[in-house]
Amino acid sequence: QKEVEQDPGPLSVPEGAIVSLNCTYSNSAFQYFMWYRQYSRKGPELLMYTYSSGNKEDGRFTAQVDKSSKYISLFIRDSQPSDSATYLCAMSGNFNKFYFGSGTKLNVKP
Amino acid sequence: EAGVAQSPRYKIIEKRQSVAFWCNPISGHATLYWYQQILGQGPKLLIQFQNNGVVDDSQLPKDRFSAERLKGVDSTLKIQPAKLEDSAVYLCASSLGDRGEKLFFGSGTQLSVL
């Protein structure tokens, strides 16, 4: 079983839609949760960072962590064509080691 | 603040040739990582340095890959000889080094082995 599972998509939505991206994980020691956005031929860019359970909002982006279910989500409101990218979830625990999902490819159609 | 710098951005080589990648982490970041990312997959850790020392190189194919971190700052990753399956993006990343610190990536090197 992989440490982190993420649906690879692709996910195609119309402009203005609400997007929901999700990851599940198996290691209860994970405490730090991240979402990265990766444009084609670029390195991953840190989008959201959350410690432990709860919600965090930044503009059109909301990250949710449910540690009891080992489930994290990223919501994008009013999606734009510029949001078209691959979204990677990542997490870490007591050691400075990071575990990544395989990425979900998102396409926002104008 | 300058980000993680990597070079070259692209490299095309023939199989059995050698190649080297360079990385300069964010100033003050003690931990440096090299990841391999194959198209459609998440980054896979090759090697993790804490200052000068290697923390984890369990997934580094040591018969062909080598890496070093000079004076706890810059790092180079070398492949010799390259195989077709080494075609991937090689990402360098860095963090301050403590538990829970954020991880920042460079732009990556796209390697094509023909």
Side-chain angles (χ1 to χ4, degrees):
Chain A
Q1 183 187 11
K2 284 185 181 178
E3 299 263 14
V4 181
E5 299 277 2
Q6 183 175 9
D7 188 332
L11 184 62
S12 188
V13 301
E15 183 175 354
I18 296 174
V19 175
S20 172
L21 304 168
N22 311 293
C23 288
T24 58
Y25 62 96
S26 56
N27 191 339
S28 57
F30 290 151
Q31 301 177 64
Y32 308 96
F33 304 91
M34 290 135 276
W35 285 96
Y36 287 85
R37 178 174 61 196
Q38 187 173 24
Y39 292 114
S40 181
R41 301 183 188 279
K42 298 281 188 183
E45 170 197 8
L46 182 61
L47 201 58
M48 299 289 283
Y49 175 91
T50 311
Y51 168 65
S52 195
S53 282
N55 293 0
K56 183 173 182 179
E57 190 173 318
D58 184 0
R60 297 184 294 110
F61 299 90
T62 299
Q64 281 188 355
V65 175
D66 182 349
K67 289 190 71 179
S68 62
S69 302
K70 296 190 179 70
Y71 188 87
I72 69 170
S73 301
L74 177 70
F75 297 96
I76 307 174
R77 291 184 299 281
D78 186 25
S79 56
Q80 302 295 309
S82 58
D83 295 327
S84 298
T86 296
Y87 290 80
L88 293 160
C89 63
M91 42 203 80
S92 66
N94 291 327
F95 303 98
N96 210 13
K97 187 167 183 176
F98 296 82
Y99 297 83
F100 290 87
S102 56
T104 300
K105 189 168 184 179
L106 172 66
N107 181 34
V108 181
K109 298 174 292 185
Chain B
E1 181 182 86
V4 178
Q6 282 190 253
S7 67
R9 287 284 284 121
Y10 304 95
K11 193 73 178 178
I12 300 173
I13 61 172
E14 307 246 332
K15 61 182 179 184
R16 290 187 290 273
Q17 285 187 325
S18 62
V19 64
F21 313 123
W22 173 83
C23 173
N24 181 243
I26 292 172
S27 178
H29 279 198
T31 309
L32 185 148
Y33 308 76
W34 283 102
Y35 289 92
Q36 180 192 60
Q37 187 178 27
I38 292 171
L39 191 63
Q41 298 182 19
K44 169 191 164 186
L45 180 68
L46 292 175
I47 189 166
Q48 177 182 345
F49 292 96
Q50 180 80 13
N51 296 310
N52 286 335
V54 175
V55 175
D56 184 353
D57 64 355
S58 57
Q59 297 197 81
L60 186 74
K62 297 180 186 66
D63 57 334
R64 298 184 302 107
F65 285 64
S66 64
E68 62 178 1
R69 189 173 184 193
L70 306 171
K71 299 180 181 177
V73 181
D74 291 8
S75 179
T76 56
L77 176 70
K78 296 179 183 177
I79 308 175
Q80 182 180 16
K83 292 185 175 181
L84 296 177
E85 59 260 36
D86 297 333
S87 294
V89 176
Y90 290 84
L91 294 164
C92 181
S94 70
S95 76
L96 278 169
D98 293 325
R99 181 183 69 180
E101 290 293 343
K102 298 173 184 177
L103 184 68
F104 297 93
F105 284 91
S107 296
T109 297
Q110 174 82 54
L111 174 67
S112 296
V113 182
L114 306 178

